[in-house]
Amino acid sequence: MDRKVIFQKKSGSNDPGYIGKTQVPLVDPEDILGPKLLRKGLSLPQLGELSVVRHYLNLAKLNFSVDTNFYPLGSCTMKYNPKINEALAALEGFSEIHPYQEPQAVQGALELIYQLNVLLCEITGMKQFSFQASSGAQGELTGLLMIHKFHQSAGNRKTKVIIPDSAHGTNPATAAMCGYKVVVVESDASGLVDMEKLRLAVDEETAAIMLTNPNTLGLFEENILEIADIVHQKGGFLYYDGANFNPLLGITNPAKMGFDLVHLNLHKTFSTPHGSGGPGLGAVGVGDKLIDFLPVPLVVKREDNYYFDYCLKNSIGRLRAFYGNFSVLIRAYAYILRLGQEGLLRVAKNSVVNANYLKEKLRNYYCLPYPKACMHEVVFSAESQKEKGASALDIAKRLIDYRIHPPTIYFPLIVKEALMIEPTETESKETLDKFIEVMLEINREIELDLERVKNSPQSAPVKRVDEVRAARFPDLRWRG
Ligand SMILES: *Cc1c(COP(=O)(O)O)cnc(C)c1O
């Protein structure tokens, strides 16, 4: 169909209309849409400006965010995102450029991509990053597609990917998407990969082991060098799910731990507001062996000029259009430059101190199935509360009444009634103490007023929802 500009015909007039200086024909919408589709009128509410302002401000106040409330959502790293990042990402030179502009016209943007690559290589020990993937999960996909292509081009017969039972669900999903058989290795009693079981699982057909370190229990995999040896001896890769890299910043890096490739969730560790499907970025970094397999293009520098390099012989191709979620790169770059090496080290240490503080203060009240010193997060079990009638879900919902975002619950899967708490480094001792007080109060309520906990939240606009129904038939209309 021809593209036509539709203008409302002025009654009785045949004057042409203009868009800028271009003359366009006047067309009667009814001629094109027909009478059936044409609306006769629009019933809009007649409201004064003040009513509209109040309506939207009150809606905005219902938001639960890191900026308004403590948000210890385990594994998601809901740290405070400095506002300077937002100001920089909004600079016209970044926000108003178009992906079709010639590289020569967007040298600043390309330089930022190039420099961020340099910084992340230094931080992780990898040799080259790609910034195309829009999430951690997509970073995993990028990584496993590269591994797959590597083995294929080397003529290796590799059929399986090894994943610990504490892994994030995206790991097995990614491996399965790439056509691999997923082999799950159980954790041992201390919460680490069971080395005996791992040795039995890894063989010549192992394409890779996917691992996060610290793992999702918040525990550092102490045998990581041995794990690397085991998989490398069989010609497999060690893939680093870098979602938990926060507590290791500046202390160690995936290359030193023996990993061959990594993804970093820039939106988590390197500070971009995320959640509710906001923009993410899974930066994928590789060592020498896999550089040639990265997605194209990469940003390269020659004689002070930056441009796109498409010449990777074995590239898996493009993962998405243009530059990826470029604004996340700006925020990550600003965040790293602002903190510097010392600042990043402080991030790591404080995230560990904060989690261990919560662990020690709450361990007498909530079960701690894996009592080792934790890293950036701590996983409790609400098993003893469950015996008294309150599940992890009930506790999570009750926290909302205290204006605290629930922790991650029922994950990792190996902990019954899991409460996975990640305070992050940006919270003060006062906030942590308040949280501890609330957790103890809820524990008391379970003894004294179980119904109140079971019927929570009471103070939120939406009360207890039917979880299954909410997932199957979401109803997003506002009934204020
Ligand atoms: C968040 C997370 C992922 C997935 O990252 P997304 O950006 O949400 O796709 C993978 N693994 C772990 C351990 C995570 O915490």
Side-chain angles (χ1 to χ4, degrees):
M1 204 173 96
D2 280 351
R3 286 245 242 100
K4 282 191 182 152
V5 179
I6 304 172
F7 267 33
Q8 179 73 50
K9 187 158 67 181
K10 283 189 233 146
S11 56
S13 154
N14 286 319
D15 292 345
Y18 286 88
I19 291 180
K21 286 186 178 159
T22 311
Q23 192 178 321
V24 294
L26 286 187
V27 183
D28 193 328
E30 192 168 338
D31 292 345
I32 292 173
L33 297 173
K36 221 173 127 193
L37 291 176
L38 206 64
R39 253 200 288 228
K40 299 287 178 297
L42 197 55
S43 150
L44 289 173
Q46 299 300 307
L47 294 168
E49 181 172 325
L50 176 57
S51 306
V52 175
V53 166
R54 282 197 184 139
H55 174 71
Y56 282 107
L57 269 182
N58 284 323
L59 276 185
K61 277 199 281 186
L62 296 176
N63 276 337
F64 223 105
S65 67
V66 181
D67 284 1
T68 49
N69 303 85
F70 184 42
Y71 209 128
L73 191 63
S75 214
C76 296
T77 313
M78 305 305 280
K79 61 171 75 178
Y80 172 68
N81 303 291
K83 294 293 168 268
I84 180 98
N85 297 357
E86 298 307 311
L88 294 172
L91 285 177
E92 232 175 60
F94 289 134
S95 62
E96 296 292 314
I97 54 179
H98 193 279
Y100 277 136
Q101 275 177 264
E102 289 297 321
Q104 211 45 50
V106 290
Q107 285 290 296
L110 297 188
E111 180 176 359
L112 186 142
I113 296 173
Y114 181 88
Q115 295 296 350
L116 182 61
N117 176 60
V118 172
L119 291 173
L120 291 181
C121 284
E122 176 153 353
I123 290 170
T124 59
M126 293 293 129
K127 294 289 166 56
Q128 175 69 48
F129 272 83
S130 161
F131 298 119
Q132 280 183 24
S134 301
S135 67
Q138 210 178 47
E140 293 170 29
L141 181 66
T142 310
L144 281 216
L145 286 175
M146 286 191 284
I147 288 173
H148 191 266
K149 191 154 186 194
F150 177 95
H151 288 313
Q152 213 174 30
S153 51
N156 300 340
R157 197 188 121 70
K158 300 284 191 184
T159 58
K160 56 191 193 185
V161 169
I162 314 269
I163 297 172
D165 60 0
S166 59
H168 194 271
T170 50
N171 293 185
T174 302
M177 272 181 80
C178 292
Y180 287 114
K181 186 168 161 247
V182 174
V183 178
V184 176
V185 172
E186 280 173 35
S187 307
D188 65 17
S190 69
L192 304 180
V193 172
D194 187 314
M195 295 304 288
E196 282 317 304
K197 292 192 169 130
L198 183 77
R199 268 192 209 92
L200 289 175
V202 177
D203 61 20
E204 305 295 338
E205 294 198 4
T206 302
I209 299 180
M210 296 179 86
L211 216 64
T212 181
N213 199 12
N215 65 25
T216 61
L217 294 165
L219 306 178
F220 188 81
E221 295 285 356
E222 294 158 9
N223 303 313
I224 189 62
L225 294 176
E226 209 181 327
I227 295 173
D229 272 350
I230 291 172
V231 69
H232 288 152
Q233 272 171 20
K234 301 289 182 189
F237 287 97
L238 189 57
Y239 180 93
Y240 187 58
D241 174 342
N244 291 344
F245 190 39
N246 207 56
L248 301 185
L249 286 170
I251 293 173
T252 183
N253 72 38
K256 284 183 192 161
M257 292 189 268
F259 287 93
D260 304 292
L261 70 167
V262 317
H263 84 254
L264 299 176
N265 304 54
L266 294 191
H267 46 289
K268 293 180 181 171
T269 310
F270 296 98
S271 139
T272 280
H274 57 287
S276 306
L281 202 141
V284 178
V286 299
D288 287 326
K289 239 174 153 176
L290 286 171
I291 288 186
D292 203 36
F293 292 81
L294 281 166
V296 283
L298 298 174
V299 173
V300 295
K301 180 180 182 184
R302 278 188 210 133
E303 292 164 5
D304 285 344
N305 273 319
Y306 299 93
Y307 51 95
F308 291 118
D309 181 1
Y310 287 86
C311 302
L312 294 182
K313 207 165 69 257
N314 289 308
S315 171
I316 58 165
R318 249 190 193 284
L319 225 87
R320 59 161 292 169
F322 305 125
Y323 298 72
N325 282 333
F326 178 61
S327 72
V328 181
L329 301 182
I330 304 167
R331 294 181 180 100
Y333 189 58
Y335 182 73
I336 294 169
L337 289 190
R338 168 77 184 75
L339 287 170
Q341 198 172 357
E342 269 179 39
L344 289 178
L345 189 61
R346 254 194 340 264
V347 165
K349 289 182 175 173
N350 286 337
S351 74
V352 175
V353 167
N354 280 1
N356 279 283
Y357 183 64
L358 294 184
K359 175 166 84 63
E360 291 308 315
K361 290 284 189 178
L362 291 173
R363 63 186 299 171
N364 291 337
Y365 306 90
Y366 291 85
C367 294
L368 190 61
Y370 299 99
K372 286 165 92 78
C374 65
M375 303 291 284
H376 65 305
E377 65 193 354
V378 53
V379 181
F380 289 102
S381 163
E383 256 187 297
S384 64
Q385 283 77 11
K386 173 93 179 180
E387 278 166 21
K388 295 173 193 150
S391 63
L393 178 76
D394 295 325
I395 295 167
K397 295 291 183 191
R398 184 62 180 143
L399 278 167
I400 297 173
D401 281 333
Y402 289 99
R403 304 299 294 157
I404 290 172
H405 195 284
T408 296
I409 52 174
Y410 300 108
F411 174 72
L413 303 176
I414 54 175
V415 175
K416 279 190 199 142
E417 298 297 321
L419 295 165
M420 184 195 216
I421 300 169
E422 180 181 9
T424 81
E425 69 282 0
T426 52
E427 297 299 336
S428 64
K429 181 166 178 296
E430 287 71 25
T431 304
L432 300 184
D433 284 336
K434 178 81 208 306
F435 175 68
I436 291 159
E437 215 176 275
V438 168
M439 287 299 281
L440 299 190
E441 180 61 26
I442 293 176
N443 198 39
R444 273 192 297 273
E445 285 175 350
I446 293 169
E447 303 269 354
L448 304 173
D449 194 356
L450 183 61
E451 280 313 297
R452 184 191 282 265
V453 179
K454 304 285 298 174
N455 290 320
S456 60
Q458 283 301 316
S459 62
V462 176
K463 307 290 182 287
R464 195 67 76 98
V465 294
D466 176 341
E467 305 266 325
V468 177
R469 198 180 154 77
R472 297 262 169 89
F473 310 102
D475 178 357
L476 305 176
R477 278 169 300 177
W478 165 251
R479 294 186 194 79

